């Protein structure tokens, strides 16, 4: 029975998968067994092209993040003409788990990927976090605030729920 698996990512990283309980000496001997295969793979990896790709990805990320920052600030100010809440810092992040969040200190965080949503969905996320400045919960009062600008928030929410916070 073989519980381990060795794979190589497009980034040139080797990954050994094994059950949590697997003894480390068995993992080591498995890697030794595979050393020829590892050398073969290493020879064929084009590290220059990986570096180049990473550089391009980084530049692309930076560009998107700046675009997100500009758009989000604009939209925040636009909607806050209606709400008139006070917020502290606005951060644009690469969050894996949510579209946005609001801290007790009144800091707003947004996932830069919200610029990939439709305009209405993006604006909803912005208004959602904006309303947390007044109600740091998902109470009836909170949803009433959101509904002032997004009476159809339930439908939008359903669509983007996966990452919402
Ligand atoms: Zn929320």
């Amino acid at each position: 029975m073989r519980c381990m698996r060795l794979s190589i990512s497009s980034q040139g990283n080797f990954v050994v998968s094994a059950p949590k309980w697997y003894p480390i000496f068995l993992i080591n001997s498995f890697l030794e067994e595979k050393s020829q295969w590892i050398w073969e793979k290493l020879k064929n990896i084009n590290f220059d092209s990986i570096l180049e790709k990473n550089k391009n990805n980084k530049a692309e990320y930076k560009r998107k993040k700046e675009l997100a920052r500009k758009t989000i600030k604009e939209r925040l100010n636009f909607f806050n003409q209606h709400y008139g809440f006070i917020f502290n810092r606005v951060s644009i992040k690469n969050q894996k788990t949510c579209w946005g969040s609001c801290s007790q200190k009144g800091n707003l965080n947004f996932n830069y990927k919200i610029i990939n949503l439709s305009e209405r969905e993006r604006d909803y996320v912005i208004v959602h976090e904006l309303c947390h400045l007044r109600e740091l919960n998902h109470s009836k009062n909170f949803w009433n605030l959101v509904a002032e600008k997004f009476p159809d928030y339930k439908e939008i929410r359903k669509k983007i729920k996966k990452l919402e916070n």
Side-chain angles (χ1 to χ4, degrees):
M1 185 183 70
R2 179 62 89 197
C3 297
M4 278 179 290
R5 212 167 66 91
L6 177 63
S7 55
I8 177 167
S9 75
S10 57
Q11 295 282 298
N13 296 317
F14 289 91
V15 178
V16 184
S17 316
K20 233 194 239 160
W21 46 265
Y22 224 66
I24 196 81
F25 77 92
L26 280 179
I27 293 173
N28 286 337
S29 67
F30 171 70
L31 283 175
E32 254 164 56
E33 247 173 65
K34 290 279 183 186
S35 56
Q36 192 57 37
W37 182 85
I38 293 171
W39 276 116
E40 288 303 317
K41 290 286 175 193
L42 276 174
K43 268 191 287 185
N44 292 321
I45 293 172
N46 185 342
F47 284 101
D48 286 339
S49 95
I50 289 175
L51 280 176
E52 191 56 35
K53 216 169 119 198
N54 282 347
K55 228 165 65 190
N56 290 341
N57 286 348
K58 247 189 195 157
E60 173 71 3
Y61 171 61
K62 221 177 141 194
R63 196 186 63 77
K64 279 202 171 156
K65 205 171 156 185
E66 280 323 302
L67 177 67
R69 189 186 309 281
K70 205 171 145 259
T71 311
I72 289 165
K73 283 201 168 155
E74 258 171 38
R75 300 311 283 163
L76 266 176
N77 289 331
F78 172 77
F79 285 109
N80 211 27
Q81 282 169 16
H82 170 77
Y83 290 106
F85 297 151
I86 291 161
F87 52 88
N88 204 354
R89 201 175 53 226
V90 178
S91 305
I92 313 301
K93 295 182 174 171
N94 185 10
Q95 293 154 308
K96 284 215 164 61
T97 50
C98 59
W99 291 120
S101 60
C102 174
S103 81
Q104 243 155 7
K105 288 180 184 153
N107 294 324
L108 299 174
N109 301 307
F110 292 98
N111 190 326
Y112 81 98
K113 291 190 189 105
I114 70 169
I115 54 165
N116 298 330
L117 296 170
S118 73
E119 279 177 27
R120 191 144 172 84
E121 289 162 355
R122 176 203 68 201
D123 282 353
Y124 161 77
V125 174
I126 290 168
V127 164
H128 182 118
E129 297 314 327
L130 197 56
C131 290
H132 273 318
L133 290 166
R134 175 62 56 87
E135 295 281 340
L136 201 50
N137 53 52
H138 291 132
S139 63
K140 186 98 185 70
N141 284 347
F142 169 78
W143 291 116
N144 286 342
L145 278 175
V146 174
E148 286 176 16
K149 283 292 168 190
F150 287 85
D152 56 339
Y153 70 84
K154 278 186 187 151
E155 281 114 79
I156 305 175
R157 227 186 140 199
K158 238 182 255 164
K159 275 194 214 155
I160 63 160
K161 195 156 175 40
K162 259 190 267 171
L163 281 175
E164 189 190 346
N165 188 21

